[in-house]
Amino acid sequence: MPELPEMEIVARRLAAALPGQVVESALAPGINALKTFDPPLHALEGRAFTGVRRRGKLLILELGELDVLVHLMTAGRMQLNPKRGSLRDKAARLMIRLPDDHELRVREFGSKQAMWLKVLRAGEVDADPALQGLGPEAWPDPPPLGELLDAPRPLHSLLRDQQVIAGIGRTWVDEILHVARLSPFKRGDDLDDDDAARLRDAMVSEMERVLAVYEEKVALPLPEKFPKPTRVHAHQGEPCWRCGTVLEAVFYEDYVMTYCPQDQTEGRVLKDRRLSRLLK
Ligand SMILES: [Zn+2]
């Protein structure tokens, strides 16, 4: 998190609110947050927002001749606050002051400073390495997946690879594979035509389902914690919503992969790497 649906709803809400608003001042207080120096951040001052768009998990704030490219990584959150926050906020990574005391602020939670932003000349943004390497969008109209995923790697890893397909991460990959009834460890080059078509449908329908929830529940100033309409991811130990089998999980160092043995792995319970490491 945030992945495609979270960034899409952020882009929609900001696109409805920001255009026309003029930047009074801009600061990027994080150590690593601002990755560019020319044009400088203060070049945003006096410019009006002209649009907001999303590409993969990235957000592009458009201000006429300049664009601000933002990657929130896992712990960044962007909010459009009706009142300015504190200048001494240690979690603040970007503060854009707007008229009437409003403020666009990115805050980052946890100890890592991973989120980043770039100020780019309009027209340069699509050529930026962060965007150029991205695969096609996972939603709304991804290409057929048979060829795209034709590699000797597990689906769970292929679908999260932004250079293969853009927008999916650790949360929604579990939901998509479950809807498609595919094992997270099935290899991309083992997909038959039916599998590939089912997976594509599952990807689109899951993104639509989550976006419908966000459309209803996510409003400005935008939440620090998004509602989580997950049914499988991190629900290990609970019954599968489709067949009632207890959901199982494989634990990795910093994330969990959850699946239904009945629906996805022909009844097999996959080796839990956390347990096997502890037992060594
Ligand atoms: Zn099931």
Side-chain angles (χ1 to χ4, degrees), residues 178 240-245 247 260 262-263:
H178 178 265
C240 168
W241 58 268
R242 195 159 48 197
C243 74
T245 304
L247 297 173
C260 170
Q262 180 66 35
D263 284 327

Side-chain angles (χ1 to χ4, degrees), residues 123-269:
E124 287 178 355
V125 70
D126 289 310
D128 188 86
L131 288 196
Q132 253 207 338
L134 292 182
E137 290 285 315
W139 174 90
D141 189 25
L145 297 183
E147 212 171 296
L148 201 66
L149 303 181
D150 186 15
R153 289 168 57 195
L155 290 176
H156 199 273
S157 137
L158 276 171
L159 291 174
R160 286 182 295 117
D161 185 338
Q162 301 305 297
Q163 304 199 321
V164 174
I165 188 154
I168 300 168
R170 293 161 181 179
T171 299
W172 301 116
V173 68
D174 284 355
E175 307 293 328
I176 292 166
L177 288 170
H178 178 265
V179 168
R181 296 177 193 263
L182 288 167
S183 166
F185 289 113
K186 190 179 180 81
R187 282 170 28 160
D189 56 2
D190 280 342
L191 287 179
D192 63 27
D193 290 349
D194 276 0
D195 292 337
R198 221 166 52 247
L199 183 56
R200 186 184 179 282
D201 287 349
M203 197 155 76
V204 174
S205 69
E206 270 304 286
M207 295 293 102
E208 298 281 358
R209 180 180 72 80
V210 176
L211 277 166
V213 173
Y214 290 168
E215 268 298 340
E216 200 177 308
K217 295 191 175 169
V218 174
L220 291 175
L222 296 172
E224 278 182 4
K225 281 201 171 149
F226 276 79
K228 270 202 167 181
T230 52
R231 302 184 288 187
V232 176
H233 179 70
H235 286 268
Q236 59 274 8
E238 298 174 23
C240 168
W241 58 268
R242 195 159 48 197
C243 74
T245 304
V246 174
L247 297 173
E248 295 286 344
V250 181
F251 292 86
Y252 293 88
E253 204 154 319
D254 53 356
Y255 71 103
V256 57
M257 172 200 287
T258 318
Y259 64 97
C260 170
Q262 180 66 35
D263 284 327
Q264 294 175 263
T265 57
E266 294 163 339
R268 283 195 309 273
V269 173

